[in-house]
Amino acid sequence: MDGWTDPRAAMGTLPQYPHAHQDELVSAAGRGMASVAAAVLGDRLNSFDADRNSDGRQYFVMKDSQGESATVWVDAVPLVRGTLADTATNTTSQHYVIRVSDRLPTRMLHRVLAHELGELMAVRERAASGLAPVREDLLREGAQLSVQRELSAPDRGRIGELNWLAARTTAPDLTAEQQLAARAEFSALLDTCGIRPTAEMGDEEAFGAQDRAARIRQNVSARVLSAGSRRLLTTLAHPIEALPPADATALRAARDAAVRAERQVEAFIGRREITMPMPGYDQNGLPLPRDQLEPAAERWAQYREQVSERTVGALEGQLAAGQFPLRKVVIGGGASLTGRDPEALLVDAAGRWHLDPGNGIVQSADQDRDLAQWMGVDPYAAVEDPRHRVSIHAVRVWEDQLATQGDVVNGRARLRLGLGGELLAEIRPSGPDGQESDTPLWVACDGTPSIATGLTPDAVPGMPRGATGVESRSEAVRLIGDRLRELEGQAVPGARELRAWLTLAERGGADARTVLGALESSALKDALMDGLDEETGARLDNCFTALDSTGKWETAREAAPGRALLGDEVAENRFDPRAAQHWIIAGSGGTGVANAEIILRENPDAYVTIIGNAPPDALRHQVQYPEMLERYTTGENPRLTIGRTEVGAVETYQHENGETWFQADYVIEATGERRTARAGGYVCSLGRTNPLPPALQVLADEVRDRGGEISGDLQFDRDDQYIGYGLTFTVDGREHRVDVDGAASWQLPREIFAPKTRVQAALNEMGQRGLPSETGNAAPGFSPIARQSALRARAVAEAAAGDPDAVRRLPTVPERWQRPDLTRPSTVTSTAPAPAPAPVAMAATAPTAVTPAVETETETETETEAAAAPGTQADTPAEPTAQPTAHPTPEPTAQPEPEASAQPAPEASAQPTPEASAQPTPEASAQPTPEASAGHGAPAAPAAPAPGISGSHLWQMGVHRGGAGRPNAPDRQEQQPPPPGHEPHEPGVGLDD
């Protein structure tokens, strides 16, 4: 439910209440939700009971007249400006999470909840019939009717508001003034819904058309309008000239307020030109049919390869001509492509969803319905039933269409330091076979590079967990190196030499057994542990456990090549599913389940045993897991077994056929039966490590080798929405900033954000609160990352336009994301539907999400809200605005000044050495001169796969298109063939001919 007609909502100037206001909103929902449901649903509601779960969260169990149940959760959290509430709809497990803005005045709450209940019922009912949502709104002002004479989900939300307001007009516990205020709001809402003609009666043509449309809308709505709403319509659904005097006066006041509100909203939002086509649509602006998604994905992959080849050729041409490219650089893609800047050079290996052999993302179209808002795609067009998973082919089409909006290189990149201290990108393109080029391309980074390389690496089995845990071999080596540095400072003989050896061994790829052997045999082994406190000593001891577990894993992979795998190798189809007929999957989370599905699907003869802790709650709220249980754990020959155990280091044994096999003990939870799984294949899916993204690891080494430092901060937009983290590399008196977006941004590197700071824990809690497990989604998921990256694009564009608060860099998560105190006694009691609404007064001039509001707050507030307003409680500080962070915002990185002449490009074979940090790049004098850059203007946008489609999606609005004053970029070939589907083919000639 947006609030564009409420200027305070659109401008982000709703009152900033203390943090306790969140709890007040949730409590108010508990007191009045049953009455709201009764008013909105009427005789379609059987019962509505409230309760709290074990962690104190409030929920409601709703039973409809058909006996079907649904669970509704309510929370008050920070939302994007202009949004009063939104609802995550999970038609898979019938859980619905309503999130209201924590800046919402309490008096507006129940009307907002009425709208959300109306919407979620629409989604729920259509999903039950296997029907996709109605795309166009019918209830809108004017004479134009949508093609489908059906109500959309937003239409049903407006009907919910009408029914709620109608109930308030006769509620016996409200004053006469409050009843009249509800009647006035009901009347004003008829304008917005197009149920009343707004043209003057004297204009016969316009009035007649609007009047006919209004009657059609009223007839279509009759089924879901309450009896009270229908009674009011007989009096109020008429032109203003025919209304009773009091109602006409109230309507004129509402219309005047609407005009003022619209002007303020337009002044704030501005008019943005939409130039990027929405992905997943054909040249006629229609969603691609489901049966065309797979061939369309193949054609778009071919087109992306063509664009990559042209981009590589242009960069090579510049380097050969002695012109060193200076470009905005983005490394990584996936769902973060929603924030794609067409002016940036995108380097992306087209991984994960382009390689995944599974059925698709694990959420349904209903669960990912927000993709329409944030990515500009229609997930429902990619499924036969709204409860089905979104097709993998649709995802590939969407990503390739977005990737080719500008220059793209299929390949990998890493950031490096140049000889002059400049920030460079070393790019290794890959061909259609996936093989990376031996010859790198070098590009100087213009501005702040962005990294969105997806999920971080898998952890290997046997890593120590808990407060003193060590998650990877690299972390173990780093912590031991830090301890050796301390010993070096204490002048302990051999400490410096051992630390230098460890560094070279780690960077050179020495196996963990070699590293562990060197440490175990070192004379410094005892000195490493001497004098440490209990916690530090336990962590250092766990470093040796981590190295030992990693060594066992490396041994198993050598002894069973192709049969001891990390989860990502399965997810990216880098394995042979028939290498074994029985597989053990260590890890019962989402990755483990997805890997099991891939193996069972790709090898019809395979058996899989998943071992680990109890599966997380989110799995049972997704589509994939319940389907797997039904398909593979039942019947005469079940192929999937799930057992409970604490997974340790990998265990192997010699099978009778001479091969190295794997074994693991586990328990069948339902029966307590103890079993031992023995299998020829083993997949480790035990969670993610938290290192620096691969694209930054060499840069970090180079900075530290030069005596520099690395610091980090979290990034939020002005609405306290998380948009990634930032790193500052300080070296030789210069600062280079790099931003991390996408799924990688939810795994903070432990070497920068130490576990003891609890920043990662706070980020996890924020992600869980924003997307509870009941939604079937998670913060690093596809749709949430599409949203995050769209918001990031908008914030970055606003910052580039001069807004200092558009991107806020903070040391930790804002207080608004901390869950309110849930330990106090519950104020929620089980309730039954009642015909009368809850006694929460709504002032006559209260702003709503549908009818325009006056520009200032009304003076009439409920006592509860007045107590929660800022400044009324001396012991409760008001919610802070943007605060200075521990890490000041650096100035833009200065690029090397061009000299009078350009120098030749670097030799591809030259490799940097750790000692000198010498880069195979030109000196500062090798930068292009204005003369050398002549004729190399910014590239034209690629040919659009489809004509522009009107809309106001943030991924389109947020792209900063200004190019004035930026360095010249590589040229495109003048004759660029259009992308797939852009032009009709000649008769008899196929696209691939």
Side-chain angles (χ1 to χ4, degrees), residues 572-624:
E572 296 175 2
N573 206 20
R574 294 183 279 125
F575 83 116
D576 178 6
R578 296 182 181 275
Q581 296 304 98
H582 188 181
W583 294 81
I584 294 173
I585 293 184
S588 53
T591 303
V593 168
N595 291 336
E597 180 190 53
I598 291 171
I599 292 173
L600 292 168
R601 171 184 167 176
E602 297 297 306
N603 183 355
D605 300 321
Y607 291 82
V608 172
T609 301
I610 298 177
I611 59 171
N613 296 321
D617 287 342
L619 283 182
R620 61 188 178 90
H621 297 295
Q622 295 175 351
V623 183
Q624 180 187 48

Side-chain angles (χ1 to χ4, degrees), residues 329-332 336 415 423 445-454 692-693 695-696 699 711-716 722-729 736-742 744-746 748-749 753 788-789 792-793 795-797 799 807-809 889-890 893:
V329 175
V330 175
I331 303 174
S336 66
L415 299 183
L423 192 59
C445 297
D446 178 12
T448 302
S450 179
I451 309 295
T453 46
L692 283 166
L696 297 177
L699 174 64
S711 59
D713 48 52
L714 304 186
Q715 296 181 344
F716 292 84
Y722 180 63
I723 55 175
Y725 69 83
L727 298 173
T728 301
F729 297 83
H736 297 295
R737 281 200 62 87
V738 179
D739 292 341
V740 180
D741 184 19
S745 68
W746 288 87
L748 304 178
F753 301 88
Q788 173 182 311
S789 298
R792 174 178 179 77
V796 169
V807 178
R808 302 165 59 222
R809 298 183 174 94
T889 304
T893 302

Side-chain angles (χ1 to χ4, degrees), residues 523-816:
L524 295 174
K525 174 70 183 297
D526 293 337
L528 285 171
M529 306 297 297
D530 288 345
L532 298 179
D533 60 59
E534 183 178 355
E535 180 179 345
T536 305
R539 179 171 284 108
L540 201 63
D541 188 58
N542 280 335
C543 290
F544 287 85
T545 303
L547 289 171
D548 181 60
S549 295
T550 305
K552 291 177 180 177
W553 177 247
E554 291 171 349
T555 300
R557 284 174 68 87
E558 291 174 2
R563 294 185 287 112
L565 306 169
L566 293 171
D568 284 343
E569 293 176 285
V570 175
E572 296 175 2
N573 206 20
R574 294 183 279 125
F575 83 116
D576 178 6
R578 296 182 181 275
Q581 296 304 98
H582 188 181
W583 294 81
I584 294 173
I585 293 184
S588 53
T591 303
V593 168
N595 291 336
E597 180 190 53
I598 291 171
I599 292 173
L600 292 168
R601 171 184 167 176
E602 297 297 306
N603 183 355
D605 300 321
Y607 291 82
V608 172
T609 301
I610 298 177
I611 59 171
N613 296 321
D617 287 342
L619 283 182
R620 61 188 178 90
H621 297 295
Q622 295 175 351
V623 183
Q624 180 187 48
Y625 188 62
E627 285 183 350
M628 280 186 60
L629 294 181
E630 181 177 356
R631 181 173 182 179
Y632 295 116
T633 64
T634 60
E636 297 180 358
N637 185 28
R639 297 168 55 205
L640 174 63
T641 302
I642 301 176
R644 303 287 178 266
T645 189
E646 288 291 333
V647 179
V650 64
E651 296 183 35
T652 62
Y653 71 98
Q654 204 71 16
H655 191 263
E656 60 186 15
N657 65 7
E659 294 180 339
T660 296
W661 276 39
F662 307 90
Q663 65 182 15
D665 297 329
Y666 65 95
V667 175
I668 299 296
E669 189 172 53
T671 63
E673 178 187 358
R674 297 182 177 274
R675 296 183 183 178
T676 299
R678 294 182 173 86
Y682 188 103
V683 180
C684 180
S685 303
L686 288 167
R688 302 285 170 177
T689 57
N690 292 47
L692 283 166
L696 297 177
Q697 288 172 357
V698 174
L699 174 64
D701 291 339
E702 293 170 346
V703 168
R704 289 175 176 136
D705 287 344
R706 295 190 187 187
E709 296 180 347
I710 309 172
S711 59
D713 48 52
L714 304 186
Q715 296 181 344
F716 292 84
D717 67 10
R718 62 170 62 256
D719 302 315
D720 284 329
Q721 304 299 303
Y722 180 63
I723 55 175
Y725 69 83
L727 298 173
T728 301
F729 297 83
T730 305
V731 60
D732 298 333
R734 303 178 65 173
E735 285 188 346
H736 297 295
R737 281 200 62 87
V738 179
D739 292 341
V740 180
D741 184 19
S745 68
W746 288 87
Q747 299 289 130
L748 304 178
R750 286 160 67 107
E751 61 189 279
I752 310 298
F753 301 88
K756 63 182 179 181
T757 65
R758 286 194 50 79
V759 178
Q760 180 68 68
L763 189 66
N764 293 344
E765 292 165 3
M766 181 189 72
Q768 176 65 21
R769 187 178 182 198
L771 282 170
S773 60
E774 291 81 14
T775 65
N777 234 314
F782 188 85
S783 181
I785 290 302
R787 174 187 182 274
Q788 173 182 311
S789 298
L791 292 175
R792 174 178 179 77
R794 182 173 74 173
V796 169
E798 291 172 345
D803 185 346
D805 297 322
V807 178
R808 302 165 59 222
R809 298 183 174 94
L810 305 178
T812 189
V813 173
E815 183 190 15
R816 291 173 68 192

Side-chain angles (χ1 to χ4, degrees), residues 841-978:
M842 182 178 289
T845 55
T848 69
V850 178
T851 54
V854 295
E855 292 84 341
T856 58
E857 279 282 359
T858 57
E859 296 180 359
T860 305
E861 299 283 346
T862 62
E863 292 182 3
T864 333
E865 184 178 339
T872 58
Q873 296 181 359
D875 57 343
T876 306
E879 179 187 2
T881 55
Q883 297 295 326
T885 70
H887 308 292
T889 304
E891 294 297 322
T893 302
Q895 295 297 333
E897 291 294 328
E899 296 292 332
S901 61
Q903 300 298 320
E907 290 295 328
S909 59
Q911 296 299 324
T913 60
E915 294 82 0
S917 296
Q919 305 302 321
T921 61
E923 299 283 355
S925 61
Q927 300 305 315
T929 65
E931 293 80 12
S933 300
H936 291 270
I949 299 172
S950 61
S952 57
H953 305 286
L954 291 181
W955 72 274
Q956 296 166 317
M957 293 166 56
V959 176
H960 178 58
R961 303 182 185 281
R966 65 181 297 275
N968 293 324
D971 276 340
R972 290 285 192 84
Q973 294 182 1
E974 293 184 4
Q975 300 298 324
Q976 178 170 287

Side-chain angles (χ1 to χ4, degrees), residues 286-594:
L286 300 174
L288 292 173
R290 287 189 299 275
D291 58 359
Q292 294 182 20
L293 287 173
E294 185 170 3
E298 294 176 359
R299 292 195 297 270
W300 274 99
Q302 294 168 5
Y303 176 69
R304 174 172 172 156
E305 184 63 33
Q306 294 172 15
V307 176
S308 175
E309 291 173 356
R310 285 194 294 272
T311 304
V312 169
L315 294 173
E316 289 175 338
Q318 278 192 285
L319 290 168
Q323 299 168 3
F324 199 58
L326 182 59
R327 299 295 305 269
K328 297 179 182 178
V329 175
V330 175
I331 303 174
S336 66
L337 289 170
T338 52
R340 167 77 158 108
D341 182 348
E343 294 183 358
L345 172 63
L346 171 67
V347 185
D348 178 31
R352 190 61 180 99
W353 298 116
H354 285 76
L355 303 175
D356 194 320
N359 295 327
I361 56 181
V362 298
Q363 285 81 28
S364 69
D366 275 338
Q367 290 170 325
D368 280 345
R369 66 179 186 143
D370 285 349
L371 281 171
Q373 177 182 4
W374 302 112
M375 195 177 233
V377 301
D378 183 1
Y380 292 102
V383 296
E384 183 177 351
D385 187 295
R387 295 163 293 186
H388 290 176
R389 294 161 63 181
V390 176
S391 162
I392 196 74
H393 303 299
V395 173
R396 291 170 181 167
V397 170
W398 299 340
E399 291 188 2
D400 285 345
Q401 284 185 283
L402 290 170
T404 52
Q405 293 295 324
D407 287 336
V408 60
V409 174
N410 288 344
R412 301 183 188 277
R414 56 184 183 178
L415 299 183
R416 308 289 298 273
L417 284 178
L419 289 176
E422 63 272 25
L423 192 59
L424 307 173
E426 179 191 19
I427 302 170
R428 293 191 179 270
S430 58
D433 58 357
Q435 294 298 313
E436 291 185 1
S437 171
D438 293 331
T439 305
L441 301 171
W442 293 91
V443 173
C445 297
D446 178 12
T448 302
S450 179
I451 309 295
T453 46
L455 295 171
T456 53
D458 294 289
V460 304
M463 289 295 112
R465 305 296 179 93
T468 59
V470 178
E471 62 173 20
S472 67
R473 159 228 172 102
S474 62
E475 184 179 23
V477 170
R478 176 174 59 82
L479 293 174
I480 293 173
D482 290 344
R483 175 57 177 158
L484 286 170
R485 183 181 288 108
E486 293 176 3
L487 297 179
E488 181 183 345
Q490 300 168 14
V492 175
R496 180 179 181 277
E497 290 76 12
L498 183 56
R499 185 169 68 86
W501 182 89
L502 269 181
T503 299
L504 290 175
E506 183 67 12
R507 296 183 188 178
D511 59 75
R513 292 160 294 183
T514 300
V515 174
L516 182 60
L519 291 170
E520 292 281 7
S521 62
S522 171
L524 295 174
K525 174 70 183 297
D526 293 337
L528 285 171
M529 306 297 297
D530 288 345
L532 298 179
D533 60 59
E534 183 178 355
E535 180 179 345
T536 305
R539 179 171 284 108
L540 201 63
D541 188 58
N542 280 335
C543 290
F544 287 85
T545 303
L547 289 171
D548 181 60
S549 295
T550 305
K552 291 177 180 177
W553 177 247
E554 291 171 349
T555 300
R557 284 174 68 87
E558 291 174 2
R563 294 185 287 112
L565 306 169
L566 293 171
D568 284 343
E569 293 176 285
V570 175
E572 296 175 2
N573 206 20
R574 294 183 279 125
F575 83 116
D576 178 6
R578 296 182 181 275
Q581 296 304 98
H582 188 181
W583 294 81
I584 294 173
I585 293 184
S588 53
T591 303
V593 168

